[in-house]
Amino acid sequence: MVTVDPYTPGQVPRVLAGRAAELGRIRDQVSRVVAFGELGGAPLVFHAPRGLGKTSLLRTAQREAEEVGCLTAWVACSRERAFLPELLHAVRRSLERAGLPAGGDREAGRWRTRLEKVSLELGLPGLSVGGELRTGVDPVPDASPPAEAAPIGALEDLLHDAATLARGRGREGSRGGTRGGVSPGAGLVLFLDELHAASAVDLSILLNAAQNLGGAREANPLAVVTAGLPVTPEAIVRAATFGERSVFVPLDVLSDDDARALLTVPAQAQQVTWSPEALDLVAAECHGHPYLLQLLGSATWQVARPASGGVLEAGHVVAAVPSARDQLDAMFRARWAGATPGEQAFVRAMAQVAQSQGADNVTRAAIAAQLGQPSSSISVPRERLIEKGVIEPVGHGLVRFTMPGFARWVTELSGEHLTQE
Ligand SMILES: Nc1ncnc2c1ncn2[C@@H]1O[C@H](COP(=O)(O)OP(=O)(O)OP(=O)(O)O)[C@@H](O)[C@H]1O
Ligand SMILES: [Mg+2]
């Protein structure tokens, strides 16, 4: 029987390997919403460098939340767009799909009014919060605040209403009904991905609204689950002092067992197995990095093209490495091109130090020495590269590249090639 490559480099995986503890934390909050009709808890914030599985985790949790009867709204934040208007759209779409509000003209009218109010407060760049904060990515510095500018309150009211409507669905008057035997009327779960890209003002409004909703937790059947790059916790605490009450959860690379499960479980579904040697090779090459595992898993499958009952062998892996490397190079090239000349110089120096020391973690002092600059003058490129997810701090003034292989790629480029890029 013909088989199909089950691996998903760059897409939400068919099977989420590992992450049981992280999914458990989300489930705890969702269960509270479902069982008690109350707030799940302080916003959950998963943070990790690129490719470690934040989106995959949130998408899996979203599916689970829907399976237990929650409505969900998903927003991927971006520096180009204000995210609160997107959140409104996502919440509205989610309710509409469930046939809400359905309690007759009065309820629908009330909901429309609520939406209009909150759109006015949040949707237009330049609206002011308490005379100080401005929503949007391009604030208008001298726009005078409208008389009723209260985006926090407006968002709070809207989320309260939306969560209450979601909870009430399936009860009297609702057309939402039961889907596939699932009990309706659980509540609302917001999933906010790429949260580091949200503007500080939008973030502040959201955190304030969430904090206020927590003041009446039993009245708000809602949970907020977010993810972003490692700078996210810092951005949150900067946006609102009480932001530190969010629950911060770092995502690490997969354990060796989970890395192997990432490869074997999707293959088993098609009666294809991995030889132990092949598994060892992939595990050694990828260091538990989920994107790399998917990439090399897929490349191996393409080389082997196994029939059902077939075995993926070490030879297939060896033959697949060049094509996986090519794809990885394309990603590295994009990272390189997205860096300023100052950041590129930092990356090059850091890669040289890492390669010469044979270590992943590099000190700030060693990078500065390699560049022939004082340690204090490399702060800006260092911060920017952390923000972009190219490098990450690992404590005690140490940083490392977030993608295995990037240091080698940078040092392997000829000097001429580097200056041309
Ligand atoms: N637990 C997992 N099990 C299986 N595959 C995974 C897992 N986590 C991530 N992946 C795979 O790794 C790749 C990257 O995952 P994902 O896009 O979720 O990462 P991310 O942290 O959101 O990255 P980015 O910061 O670039 O958005 C995807 O191809 C996905 O299929
Ligand atoms: Mg992602």
Side-chain angles (χ1 to χ4, degrees):
M1 202 179 77
V2 182
T3 62
V4 184
D5 175 6
Y7 300 106
T8 51
Q11 288 161 29
V12 176
R14 260 168 257 288
V15 185
L16 189 79
R19 305 302 187 214
E22 292 84 357
L23 272 176
R25 300 195 84 134
I26 306 176
R27 269 184 216 134
D28 284 348
Q29 288 223 358
V30 171
S31 303
R32 216 166 291 144
V33 172
V34 175
F36 307 126
E38 65 174 41
L39 198 77
L44 279 172
V45 183
F46 294 95
H47 55 99
R50 298 233 165 266
L52 284 200
K54 301 177 292 294
T55 304
S56 303
L57 174 70
L58 261 54
R59 281 294 185 197
T60 304
Q62 181 187 27
R63 206 175 50 226
E64 287 192 356
E66 288 175 352
E67 279 166 10
V68 294
C70 289
L71 295 188
T72 65
W74 179 284
V75 180
C77 305
S78 134
R79 295 228 183 271
E80 277 75 51
R81 299 182 305 272
F83 104 88
L84 290 176
E86 303 233 343
L87 178 61
L88 294 196
H89 286 306
V91 169
R92 195 176 69 184
R93 254 198 328 269
S94 171
L95 291 184
E96 278 171 2
R97 265 198 223 118
L100 295 171
D105 289 349
R106 245 183 95 208
E107 201 175 16
R110 185 180 131 99
W111 173 246
R112 254 199 314 276
T113 312
R114 189 67 96 199
L115 270 177
E116 276 162 20
K117 180 151 186 274
V118 79
S119 305
L120 189 73
E121 299 285 2
L122 300 174
L124 308 170
L127 288 187
S128 168
V129 190
E132 285 181 307
L133 299 174
R134 291 160 196 291
T135 186
V137 287
D138 183 22
V140 184
D142 54 354
S144 51
E148 282 196 330
I152 295 169
L155 181 64
E156 190 186 325
D157 290 347
L158 180 105
L159 291 177
H160 167 78
D161 281 7
T164 310
L165 281 168
R167 179 97 188 151
R169 136 185 112 107
R171 305 217 171 111
E172 205 185 359
S174 168
R175 282 178 285 140
T178 327
R179 276 180 310 147
V182 165
S183 64
L188 179 66
V189 188
L190 306 182
F191 290 95
L192 312 176
D193 200 7
E194 303 271 325
L195 195 66
H196 58 271
S199 76
V201 174
D202 282 1
L203 207 48
S204 163
I205 294 171
L206 176 79
L207 290 168
N208 274 282
Q211 164 90 351
N212 294 350
L213 288 167
R217 53 175 309 128
E218 63 293 337
N220 293 298
L222 176 81
V224 182
V225 183
T226 74
L229 291 174
V231 288
T232 314
E234 219 180 294
I236 285 179
V237 174
R238 256 204 315 264
T241 45
F242 56 80
E244 64 207 21
R245 278 177 233 153
S246 306
V247 183
F248 299 116
V249 188
L251 282 189
D252 206 346
V253 292
L254 297 175
S255 70
D256 197 51
D257 283 351
D258 292 338
R260 286 161 196 262
L262 181 151
L263 296 164
T264 54
V265 175
Q268 269 158 15
Q270 299 185 75
Q271 284 79 50
V272 172
T273 49
W274 284 79
S275 77
E277 298 76 24
L279 267 187
D280 287 346
L281 272 182
V282 179
E285 183 79 17
C286 300
H287 304 278
H289 194 284
Y291 174 76
L292 295 185
L293 287 158
Q294 293 282 357
L295 187 62
L296 193 48
S298 173
T300 304
W301 194 283
Q302 304 287 345
V303 166
R305 300 202 165 277
S308 183
V311 180
L312 301 170
E313 306 282 3
H316 297 133
V317 178
V318 172
V321 166
S323 109
R325 286 237 169 103
D326 280 352
Q327 298 218 31
L328 211 51
D329 282 0
M331 186 190 283
F332 291 159
R333 215 167 289 125
R335 285 188 176 198
W336 181 257
T340 63
E343 291 160 12
Q344 290 181 352
F346 183 105
V347 164
R348 199 178 315 149
M350 179 170 154
Q352 282 160 350
V353 174
Q355 291 279 286
S356 67
Q357 295 181 347
D360 288 340
N361 301 346
V362 178
T363 64
R364 184 196 184 101
I367 299 165
Q370 181 75 25
L371 283 167
Q373 291 178 10
S375 205
S376 56
S377 71
I378 61 170
S379 296
V380 173
R382 181 179 175 278
E383 291 309 310
R384 293 278 147 74
L385 288 164
I386 292 173
E387 264 173 44
K388 289 179 177 176
V390 175
I391 64 174
E392 61 179 329
V394 281
H396 305 296
L398 291 161
V399 280
R400 71 173 174 214
F401 288 110
T402 56
M403 279 292 272
F406 191 50
R408 187 180 56 201
W409 182 85
V410 170
T411 46
E412 273 175 8
L413 285 178
S414 70
E416 189 192 2
H417 193 168
L418 282 169
T419 46
Q420 275 176 2
E421 290 269 342

